[in-house]
């Protein structure tokens, strides 16, 4: 699976160029991985209702960076009076900036913790921070191993690999899952996020839930496993895996496909190993339950699913905003932009980028909640 590279940001409007200056990663000034056509973007932009003007600041999840690229480009082409600046600094950093009142909203691959909700009441003067699920997708376990293009692993084996309990590619546990593969006796080189990350939080939730005997660490945004090397952001992990034979890491699917990296198939206990695809991730997200209270739409994902074709290492990225008490100068633009991202066109663009759209029954609630932001 390869992302199409058909749009170039250097042909975009001046407003989009402003955003490129703010984005820290590689999409700006080079090939855009949107996968859509210019006609589709123009059509989607024509449906956007622009409100507000000036700068709209946001930061957080690197997992949704590639989605934000195409959303930003489409939105800016319609709403040139608003300059959207989304910085992919990581979920932890994004939440902190939001709680400090520096941004209009934050992107996070984990829902707000109770103590963070309590903190948010200082920023959301008459309300609190809420979680709006906006982007779904698989966390791909990506690897670089010469001569091995098809690899199956399970939760137990992954837990031991990332906790340095399995250190060679020809370990019996890996050979048992891949009887026909020519596995070398090469040392396994693992890469994990060095920054606090919702991707790490979700990946370790999977390991802790599906293989508690092999992964005893509590799920956290900060990496807790033994050994391995840290890399900054999902792009950092993808780059390191691509450059090092014998390596393995975890990234959002778009980073794996965008770098032409192999991905692991998971033995979940279903009849056949499950590949990391947007459709398979959607099957897992559809099994999630809304556990947030009131206007909060935080989801509880089923990491132990054995449903046929359901890929369990799945994350949901939330846009975190105030339900009430949003800053007047950014409220209209925030609602306008989020209405677009939650729209049918906004969600349709996700699949072309390697993400999974949020299921209809959930995204409909998101749209209603956005309408009521104040």
């Amino acid at each position: 699976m390869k992302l199409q590279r058909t749009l170039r940001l250097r042909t975009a409007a001046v407003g989009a160029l402003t955003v490129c200056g703010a984005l820290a990663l590689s999409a700006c000034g080079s090939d855009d991985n949107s996968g859509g056509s210019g006609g589709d973007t123009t059509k989607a932009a024509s449906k956007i209702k622009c409100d507000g003007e000036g700068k709209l600041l946001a930061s957080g999840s690197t997992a949704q960076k590639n989605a934000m690229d195409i959303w930003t480009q489409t939105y800016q082409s319609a709403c040139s009076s608003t300059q959207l600046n989304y910085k992919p600094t990581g979920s932890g950093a994004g939440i902190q900036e939001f709680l400090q009142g520096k941004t209009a909203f934050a992107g996070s691959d984990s829902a707000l913790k109770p103590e963070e909700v309590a903190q948010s009441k200082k920023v959301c003067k008459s309300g609190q921070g809420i979680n709006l699920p906006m982007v779904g997708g698989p966390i791909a376990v990506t690897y670089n191993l010469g001569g091995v293009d098809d690899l199956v692993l399970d939760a137990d084996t992954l837990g031991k690999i990332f906790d340095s309990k399995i250190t060679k590619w020809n370990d019996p546990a890996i050979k048992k899952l891949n009887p026909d593969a020519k596995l070398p006796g090469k040392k396994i080189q693992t890469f994990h996020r060095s920054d606090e990350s919702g991707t790490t939080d979700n990946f370790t939730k999977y390991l802790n839930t599906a293989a508690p005997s092999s992964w005893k660490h509590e799920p956290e945004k900060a990496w807790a496993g033994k050994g391995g090397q840290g890399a900054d952001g999902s792009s950092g992990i993808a780059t390191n895996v691509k450059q090092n034979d014998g390596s393995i890491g975890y990234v959002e699917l778009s980073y794996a496909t965008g770098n032409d990296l192999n991905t692991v198939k998971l033995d979940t206990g279903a009849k056949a190993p499950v590949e990391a695809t947007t459709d398979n991730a959607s099957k897992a997200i559809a099994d999630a339950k809304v556990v947030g209270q009131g206007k909060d739409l935080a989801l509880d994902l089923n990491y132990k699913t054995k449903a046929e074709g359901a890929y369990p290492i799945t994350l949901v990225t939330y846009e975190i905003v105030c339900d009430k008490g949003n800053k007047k100068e950014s409220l209209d633009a925030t609602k306008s932009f989020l209405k677009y991202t939650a729209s049918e066109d906004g969600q349709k663009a996700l699949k072309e980028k390697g993400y999974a759209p949020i299921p209809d029954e959930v995204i409909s609630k998101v749209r209603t909640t956005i309408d009521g932001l104040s």
Side-chain angles (χ1 to χ4, degrees):
M1 174 180 175
K2 294 185 178 180
L3 296 174
Q4 301 172 344
R5 298 174 171 86
T6 56
L7 294 174
R8 293 184 179 273
L9 288 178
R10 64 189 179 194
T11 63
V14 174
L17 290 174
T18 301
V19 177
C20 275
L23 290 173
L25 299 181
S26 61
C28 295
S30 61
D31 290 344
D32 174 42
N33 297 329
S34 67
S37 66
D40 291 341
T41 300
T42 301
K43 184 177 180 181
S46 68
K47 300 178 184 179
I48 295 174
K49 184 178 184 299
C50 301
D51 288 314
E53 58 184 20
K55 294 182 178 180
L56 182 60
L57 305 179
S59 65
S61 166
T62 63
Q64 70 170 359
K65 183 263 178 186
N66 292 331
M68 275 290 178
D69 282 352
I70 186 59
W71 280 341
T72 294
Q73 181 176 332
T74 303
Y75 185 79
Q76 292 278 189
S77 67
C79 309
S80 58
S81 62
T82 300
Q83 296 177 357
L84 176 60
N85 179 336
Y86 180 80
K87 295 182 179 180
T89 54
S91 298
I95 289 174
Q96 287 307 307
E97 288 198 325
F98 174 75
L99 294 177
Q100 292 165 3
K102 296 179 179 179
T103 54
F105 66 91
S108 176
D109 308 321
S110 298
L112 290 171
K113 296 179 180 178
E115 59 268 28
E116 291 170 337
V117 173
Q119 283 182 264
S120 73
K121 295 179 180 180
K122 297 178 182 178
V123 177
C124 310
K125 300 300 182 181
S126 56
Q128 65 181 45
I130 57 173
N131 304 283
L132 301 179
M134 198 69 71
V135 182
I139 300 173
V141 178
T142 185
Y143 70 97
N144 179 352
L145 188 60
V148 181
D149 295 324
D150 189 3
L151 184 68
V152 176
L153 296 174
D154 58 15
D156 185 66
T157 306
L158 278 172
K160 291 177 180 177
I161 288 173
F162 278 93
D163 208 23
S164 298
K165 296 171 184 174
I166 290 178
T167 59
K168 300 285 187 179
W169 279 109
N170 62 351
D171 186 274
I174 302 177
K175 291 176 69 174
K176 184 177 180 181
L177 291 164
N178 300 272
D180 298 325
K182 295 181 179 180
L183 297 166
K186 195 175 185 69
K187 181 181 178 181
I188 299 174
Q189 189 173 0
T190 62
F191 286 96
H192 57 262
R193 289 282 288 271
S194 59
D195 55 322
E196 287 200 1
S197 163
T199 309
T200 294
D201 192 23
N202 282 274
F203 181 59
T204 55
K205 279 179 182 175
Y206 164 74
L207 295 178
N208 183 262
T209 303
S213 62
S214 297
W215 186 267
K216 298 182 182 297
H217 310 286
E218 289 297 318
E220 290 288 349
K221 293 186 180 73
W223 184 255
K226 297 179 181 178
Q229 297 182 52
D232 187 30
S234 296
S235 60
I237 288 182
T239 298
N240 277 284
V241 170
K242 188 168 187 175
Q243 294 176 347
N244 292 278
D245 185 48
S247 61
I248 189 170
Y250 57 95
V251 295
E252 297 73 34
L253 180 62
S254 61
Y255 287 91
T257 55
N259 286 279
D260 297 318
L261 293 170
N262 288 323
T263 58
V264 169
K265 293 178 182 177
L266 291 180
D267 182 345
T268 63
K271 292 180 180 178
V274 184
E275 189 175 355
T277 68
T278 56
D279 287 340
N280 291 345
S282 290
K283 292 176 183 177
I285 296 172
D287 195 31
K289 297 179 180 179
V290 175
V291 293
Q293 301 296 314
K295 295 182 179 180
D296 184 76
L297 298 174
L299 300 175
D300 182 25
L301 299 171
N302 182 8
Y303 296 103
K304 297 177 71 174
T305 181
K306 295 182 180 180
E308 296 300 323
Y311 184 83
I313 317 181
T314 302
L315 63 74
V316 169
T317 300
Y318 301 94
E319 311 311 334
I320 295 172
V321 294
C322 298
D323 57 355
K324 297 179 182 179
N326 289 280
K327 294 180 180 179
K328 292 182 179 180
E329 60 268 27
S330 59
L331 174 60
D332 290 342
T334 297
K335 292 178 68 172
S336 173
F337 178 69
L338 294 181
K339 282 180 180 179
Y340 159 61
T341 64
S343 71
E344 184 176 344
D345 286 329
Q347 290 292 299
K348 181 180 178 182
L350 291 177
K351 196 168 183 179
E352 297 170 348
K353 295 283 289 179
Y355 297 100
I358 301 299
D360 289 342
E361 59 269 26
V362 177
I363 203 65
S364 61
K365 296 177 182 178
V366 172
R367 293 166 185 156
T368 299
T369 302
I370 293 170
D371 285 337
L373 297 179
S374 62

